[in-house]
Amino acid sequence: MSQSAQSHLTLILDLSPKQWHLSSLEPDGQALSLLSFITQVLAFMNSHLALRHENTISVLGAFPRKSVMLYSTPGANDSGLDSTAPQDANTYQPFKTVDTIVSSRIMEEMESISDSIDSPTGLVGALSKGLCHINRVINPATRSSIESSSPLDPRMLILSVSPDMSTSYIPIMNTIFAAQKLKVKIDVCKIFGEDNVFLQQAAHLTGGSYVALMQRNALLQYLVMCFLASSSLRKIVAFPTHDRVDLRAACFCHKDIVDIGYVCSVCLSIFCSPVPVCSTCRTKFPVKTLRRFGFGPPKAVGNGTSKSGSATPQ
Amino acid sequence: MPPNRSNLDLSDSDYDEEVDVDDYDGGRKHTGKTKGKELPKNRDMGLGGKDGYSWEATYTRTWDAVQEDEGGSLQNAVEDLLARGRRRRLLAPTGAIRRTIIRHLVILIDLSSSMLDRDMRPTRFDLTLQYTREFIVEWFDQNPLGQVGIIGMRGGLGEKIGDMTGNPQEILKTISDRDKLLPDGEPSLQNALEMARSSMNHLPAHSSREVLILFGSLTTCDPGNIHDTVQAAISDKVRVSVVALAAEMKICRDLCNKTGGAFGVALNEGHYRDLLFEAIPPPAQRANPSTGGSALSSNPSSDLLIMGFPTRIPESSAPSLCVCHSELKRHGYLCPRCLAKLCDVPTDCDICGLMIVSSPHLARSYHHLFPVKPYQARTTIADAAPETCGGCSLAFPVPRVTLSDGSASGVSPVGRYGCPDCQKDFCSDCDEFVHSVLHVCPGCS
Ligand SMILES: [Zn+2]
Ligand SMILES: [Zn+2]
Ligand SMILES: [Zn+2]
Ligand SMILES: [Zn+2]
Ligand SMILES: [Zn+2]
Ligand SMILES: [Zn+2]
């Protein structure tokens, strides 16, 4: 353990009020309220910080149409600690600081949400901000000022409750490839709702793991057993392995998730039904091909009804 | 500049998009090559501007390119280089280029003792490894669904260095360890070619099979008649190209001519790189280099393809028979149409004929289609401007009061760069990262 690198955890909390409300309405034993979620996540954060003195953390919240950096371990640039809080002999001050900042920031943001409860969360924003943060923190020019010399081992954990956001398919994929380049593993814990196609791909492509909760009230145990170990430790301990990975994509035209798509050979745009002209690069497709796919004038383009069924195998 | 599309606000209509094809015309030529191209160019100039063989050249000192200022400091020179790089990136138009759907390439690297020759600096071997790395990154960028394998020629044998894979990281890893690849003995064209041919035997008929040989030797040490191998390559439709580092060999030239490949002898380091990178655009495109804006939309080879995105079955699942080899395997991919299990993608489903690809491979190239708008260098700090960067959420670095013509070179004197859409300010680290790696504006999404 002593030679393992200092690890930086970027935690992304999916804080969609609607999804959390639905989650708290689940039948007994499966219900998980936002408050109990936050308590358990705080305990997890504290255990990460307790593992090693140099460990750092940053917490991002994905609120409806918004993403906010809730907390990041004070580095060279930040002087985050508020010394005004009264000292309590029974608490470890650094933990208390993290806990109060994170929970009060979440409450602040939650209260400022007004009409946009239903809107999709700013997960992409949170992901990209997290990556920007990691990029700046591991940048050697900046790092020299942040005292430590041991290599930083950055990873990400997304605690997701929202369904797939197929509208942001391309940005999500772009962030995944950026994480790949930075060698950041993305772990995903699916707390509530159906499996997430794109987050599955994120974990798969970056070498992280995707875990869907079976027992929602045992969240903390899942977090500690599955996601506390640093990457160097993961080689040794039995780690949750990948289940099936769904490699589907979202079409460019309707943002539907498709398993069979029509792809422009020039720019590789994906469409859910045959189109005569590529909307991205304006390429016109040969009439012969379109006929083969059963695309004709009588059929209206763009209603998405003529999916894979009309396609003839070659 | 096309309207910003990075936030994916695509309308439902397929026809009212306003992407100007002419804007995209050949744009890739700048973006794709600027990364590494500057270096050899400079080096050419160091050679006195003539395109002679490198062994004819005079001694060059790369450090001559960097000049000290009056105070004897390199600071300004370095700043200038950075600023120029930045400006180049900002000015380079981004856009769509033609991508081939499925290509298969085996790179044969000569690892014979002739590669230790120092006529190319530092050695032919080191230069080849370095160029191969750059080549692979660029190749996958332009051929996202392609697969590359690497075979070495060493000690009279063909040596498998990297299996065919569609993951550039995996391939780069196989050639990252220089010590494992140290040149030794004689090369064998025949052995290596046979090995490359057999590794591409299983591929579907319509996918391309290409071999690229980086050859430094003037001899080949073969167990049989190499002309038989050439015939076999022709009948298998394997296209062989050779970049020779020493001189032209008849067998190499014949090999290329007969299989439809390209042959070239590298004059110097820069020329070597150019020859190598000529193999990146797909062959069809090279035959018809007119890829102007209007030609693009009427190009007969543009087509709409139907593709299936599979489900990946993990190593931990119960073994079952695959349809491609009829072998019991755990790992595999399920065809979305007929649920047949296939060993590897991209491929054609053996049961229903659907082309099966992994969608992330397609997605890898999408950032070219929807680039993030360049951020504008802020000249002053607005009154209401936040104290932290919109990307990394850290405080902005303290602005340095240097650089007289900072605004002209695209460098912000206050260290802030603003997104034209979301109006948020970003630090220079994030500006660089967003445009070169992330391709998502953290403020807009
Ligand atoms: Zn669609
Ligand atoms: Zn297109
Ligand atoms: Zn098989
Ligand atoms: Zn099939
Ligand atoms: Zn920043
Ligand atoms: Zn923006």
Side-chain angles (χ1 to χ4, degrees):
Chain A
M1 190 72 200
S2 57
Q3 76 272 45
S4 71
Q6 162 197 5
S7 85
H8 176 84
L9 175 69
T10 302
L11 201 59
I12 295 179
L13 312 178
D14 181 348
L15 295 168
S16 158
K18 182 188 168 195
Q19 294 296 320
W20 278 112
H21 178 65
L22 291 177
S23 164
S24 64
L25 294 182
E26 286 285 299
D28 269 353
Q30 282 298 311
L32 180 68
S33 70
L34 181 59
L35 274 180
S36 125
F37 165 73
I38 293 174
T39 347
Q40 299 186 51
V41 168
L42 290 178
F44 172 69
M45 282 162 47
N46 290 343
S47 26
H48 169 77
L49 294 172
L51 264 190
R52 197 180 151 91
H53 181 66
E54 294 88 353
N55 277 0
T56 48
I57 197 165
S58 44
V59 188
L60 290 121
F63 297 93
R65 275 194 279 182
K66 197 176 176 190
S67 58
V68 183
M69 174 73 88
L70 298 169
Y71 175 83
S72 76
T73 307
N77 305 300
D78 250 349
S79 56
L81 293 181
D82 54 336
S83 46
T84 51
Q87 297 274 331
D88 182 347
N90 291 322
T91 50
Y92 179 54
Q93 199 54 34
F95 287 174
K96 187 164 183 231
T97 319
V98 179
D99 293 2
T100 28
I101 294 181
V102 171
S103 44
S104 63
R105 291 281 281 123
I106 291 178
M107 289 310 148
E108 258 171 53
E109 292 294 337
M110 279 290 180
E111 269 155 33
S112 71
I113 298 171
S114 47
D115 53 342
S116 52
I117 291 175
D118 267 8
S119 321
T121 56
L123 180 70
V124 179
L127 264 170
S128 50
K129 279 177 189 164
L131 287 171
C132 280
H133 182 85
I134 291 174
N135 174 61
R136 178 131 173 232
V137 173
I138 60 176
N139 186 346
T142 327
R143 280 210 74 203
S144 54
S145 56
I146 313 183
E147 92 262 353
S148 117
S149 55
S150 64
L152 201 69
D153 165 35
R155 62 199 163 92
M156 267 188 165
L157 171 60
I158 304 175
L159 303 176
S160 160
V161 290
S162 299
D164 262 314
M165 285 177 300
S166 48
T167 45
S168 38
Y169 172 62
I170 296 173
I172 287 194
M173 296 312 285
N174 284 343
T175 53
I176 295 175
F177 299 130
Q180 247 180 352
K181 281 188 193 145
L182 286 180
K183 301 199 169 62
V184 173
K185 286 189 171 70
I186 300 182
D187 294 320
V188 180
C189 184
K190 187 75 196 168
I191 295 173
F192 175 75
E194 278 177 23
D195 270 340
N196 227 293
V197 176
F198 303 138
L199 292 185
Q200 263 182 17
Q201 296 184 14
H204 169 59
L205 293 170
T206 58
S209 48
Y210 178 97
V211 175
L213 282 200
M214 306 283 199
Q215 207 55 46
R216 252 190 289 277
N217 44 18
L219 173 68
L220 183 57
Q221 187 157 4
Y222 274 93
L223 291 178
V224 170
M225 301 302 281
C226 301
F227 302 112
L228 195 57
S230 64
S231 16
S232 52
L233 230 96
R234 290 186 187 192
K235 294 175 197 135
I236 308 162
V237 297
F239 214 66
T241 48
H242 282 294
D243 213 22
R244 299 180 158 222
V245 182
D246 196 333
L247 293 174
R248 285 183 294 170
C251 73
F252 283 29
C253 38
H254 311 90
K255 311 293 171 199
D256 290 337
I257 298 182
V258 292
D259 56 3
I260 295 179
Y262 296 84
V263 177
C264 167
S265 72
V266 176
C267 67
L268 301 181
S269 298
I270 302 171
F271 305 98
C272 60
S273 55
V275 289
V277 180
C278 171
S279 60
T280 311
C281 69
R282 287 283 179 88
T283 299
K284 293 191 185 75
F285 299 121
V287 183
K288 218 175 82 199
T289 317
L290 295 171
R291 283 226 189 88
R292 189 153 45 85
F293 291 146
F295 174 84
K299 224 173 252 171
V301 193
N303 55 8
T305 47
S306 60
K307 282 205 175 166
S308 54
S310 63
T312 41
Q314 319 157 276
Chain B
M1 239 325 127
N4 178 46
R5 314 268 300 272
S6 60
N7 55 357
L8 274 183
D9 188 19
L10 292 185
S11 62
D12 266 2
S13 160
D14 293 327
Y15 302 109
D16 62 351
E17 305 297 344
E18 292 185 24
V19 178
D20 188 356
V21 177
D22 292 317
D23 250 1
Y24 284 164
D25 169 21
R28 188 64 206 160
K29 277 173 211 134
H30 305 278
T31 42
K33 292 199 174 169
T34 38
K35 275 178 245 159
K37 191 138 193 182
E38 298 311 310
L39 200 66
K41 276 269 168 62
N42 292 342
R43 224 178 267 172
D44 283 353
M45 263 140 44
L47 291 170
K50 63 170 179 168
D51 257 9
Y53 288 96
S54 48
W55 43 265
E56 293 173 337
T58 49
Y59 197 69
T60 55
R61 288 167 295 177
T62 44
W63 54 89
D64 278 353
V66 184
Q67 297 288 328
E68 292 174 12
D69 63 7
E70 308 86 55
S73 159
L74 290 174
Q75 178 79 20
N76 279 346
V78 174
E79 295 272 356
D80 187 44
L81 280 178
L82 287 178
R84 262 191 288 161
R86 218 185 104 77
R87 185 166 42 184
R88 197 169 54 230
R89 171 173 63 67
L90 288 174
L91 294 179
T94 38
I97 51 140
R98 230 195 131 60
R99 278 161 239 278
T100 337
I101 293 308
I102 299 184
R103 285 178 84 186
H104 293 89
L105 172 71
V106 176
I107 306 175
L108 303 190
I109 302 180
D110 188 347
L111 295 177
S112 66
S113 46
S114 64
M115 290 300 279
L116 292 171
D117 209 318
R118 288 178 183 276
D119 61 347
M120 291 192 182
R121 276 173 297 268
T123 61
R124 288 178 179 178
F125 169 62
D126 285 306
L127 193 68
T128 300
L129 284 190
Q130 181 200 329
Y131 282 173
T132 309
R133 273 179 221 125
E134 291 170 20
F135 174 82
I136 285 168
V137 171
E138 190 67 22
W139 195 89
F140 274 107
D141 212 24
Q142 300 204 23
N143 304 284
L145 285 179
Q147 298 208 21
V148 170
I150 294 187
I151 291 174
M153 293 180 272
R154 173 159 66 174
L157 296 170
E159 198 177 315
K160 185 156 276 180
I161 294 170
D163 278 323
M164 274 272 189
T165 167
N167 183 349
Q169 258 69 38
E170 226 166 87
I171 279 288
L172 290 175
K173 207 191 286 167
T174 61
I175 55 167
S176 62
D177 192 354
R178 179 184 180 276
D179 294 343
K180 276 192 191 149
L181 302 174
L182 280 182
D184 180 39
E186 295 279 313
S188 168
L189 272 180
Q190 191 185 18
N191 281 336
L193 268 177
E194 285 296 342
M195 190 176 234
R197 209 167 56 83
S198 64
S199 71
M200 291 192 284
N201 254 344
H202 65 284
L203 300 177
H206 70 83
S207 68
S208 83
R209 298 153 201 227
E210 296 165 57
V211 171
L212 176 64
I213 306 179
L214 311 177
F215 205 57
S217 178
L218 287 171
T219 54
T220 163
C221 158
D222 297 333
N225 185 353
I226 189 158
H227 292 282
D228 295 343
T229 310
V230 176
Q231 282 308 321
I234 295 170
S235 60
D236 274 7
K237 296 200 178 67
V238 179
R239 187 176 181 277
V240 186
S241 301
V242 176
V243 177
L245 305 184
E248 177 170 331
M249 264 169 80
K250 178 141 195 332
I251 185 64
C252 291
R253 158 110 27 215
D254 282 355
L255 192 55
C256 298
N257 286 347
K258 286 183 180 159
T259 58
F263 177 82
V265 180
L267 299 168
N268 51 43
E269 292 93 341
H271 189 230
Y272 180 18
R273 191 174 191 279
D274 289 345
L275 282 179
L276 185 58
F277 276 53
E278 266 172 35
I280 291 178
Q285 187 191 14
R286 202 182 312 158
N288 175 24
S290 63
T291 42
S294 55
L296 191 70
S297 47
S298 61
N299 197 322
S301 56
S302 61
D303 208 343
L304 191 64
L305 300 146
I306 181 162
M307 291 189 188
F309 308 118
T311 301
R312 183 181 176 274
I313 312 289
E315 198 64 54
S316 54
S317 55
S320 61
L321 288 170
C322 74
V323 295
C324 37
H325 310 88
S326 307
E327 279 172 26
L328 264 184
K329 283 186 181 163
R330 293 174 179 277
H331 160 268
Y333 297 84
L334 292 186
C335 166
R337 191 192 270 165
C338 66
L339 296 181
K341 184 173 141 180
L342 306 152
C343 282
D344 211 351
V345 291
T347 184
D348 283 359
C349 174
D350 283 319
I351 304 299
C352 68
L354 184 67
M355 191 193 291
I356 311 289
V357 301
S358 163
S359 62
H361 284 174
L362 292 176
R364 208 177 276 152
S365 65
Y366 288 157
H367 65 87
H368 295 303
L369 302 178
F370 308 106
V372 181
K373 274 190 196 173
Y375 292 166
Q376 291 144 357
R378 298 261 196 252
T379 45
T380 49
I381 303 174
D383 289 338
E387 285 162 32
T388 56
C389 164
C392 57
S393 313
L394 294 172
F396 284 100
V398 186
R400 264 171 300 129
V401 199
T402 50
L403 285 180
S404 47
D405 62 338
S407 52
S409 61
V411 179
S412 161
V414 291
R416 289 178 179 228
Y417 301 87
C419 170
D421 286 327
C422 63
Q423 300 300 335
K424 296 220 166 71
D425 283 4
F426 299 91
C427 66
S428 68
D429 278 355
C430 289
D431 176 31
E432 193 63 41
F433 180 67
V434 163
H435 288 94
S436 62
V437 180
L438 189 58
H439 305 295
V440 179
C441 174
C444 295
S445 51

